[in-house]
Amino acid sequence: MFYVMPNYLTVDSQSQVKPISWKEKFAIAAKGSFDPYEFTVVGIVAGIRQAENSSPAFGQGMEGYAKRYGAAFADQVDGNIMVGGVFPTILKVDPRYFQLGRGSFLHRFGYAINRIFIARTDSGNHMFNVSEFAGNATAIAISNVYYPADDRSFSSSLSDWGTQMGLDAFGNELKEFWPDIHRYLQARHERHLQKQQRKASD
């Protein structure tokens, strides 16, 4: 998406897609975790946390930044593997986002939001999205192992869980509307080229 963001988990809901195996679920989760774009994003997140002096026990300087980078990267991998691999495999759920791509803006916006709550099973049915809720919760529980003891509390974990759920909902919106944005940008680029060609021919 936006020519740089990985988008391995989006498919057209109207297309006839086969269920994916547990190996494919883990492979897609790994691709999303280790895409070159993600290393940059993690670096930015670590920089923001350093500037805010979050997790003060990590310290400052290059050593503090390295610790924050490692923790942020581990957070990302944990979340992707749990939400996209472990729980979908156990529960036989398809971790992909099935893009609606039709209807009014509000209808599609609501659809993207409620995919946080509704999952598609490997057999094509629907169920409550346990993978999203439990997967993120498990990833945050794991993170307590490598974050400083002073940063471990139920309230901070709950806050992190809510933030991650919000980010995943926002990600669904990007997945839903990226094709529309792409078409708009492409049409705008083509109009710009046509304008330049007309100027050149005058």
Side-chain angles (χ1 to χ4, degrees), residues 39-54 64-73:
F39 289 94
T40 302
V41 171
V42 169
I44 294 170
V45 170
I48 293 171
R49 291 178 179 176
Q50 177 107 339
E52 295 176 342
N53 198 31
S54 63
Y65 179 80
K67 290 178 179 178
R68 288 182 176 87
Y69 188 98
F73 189 78

Side-chain angles (χ1 to χ4, degrees), residues 123-134:
S123 60
N125 297 315
H126 293 91
M127 63 175 283
F128 180 71
N129 198 352
V130 177
S131 297
E132 179 69 33
F133 283 76

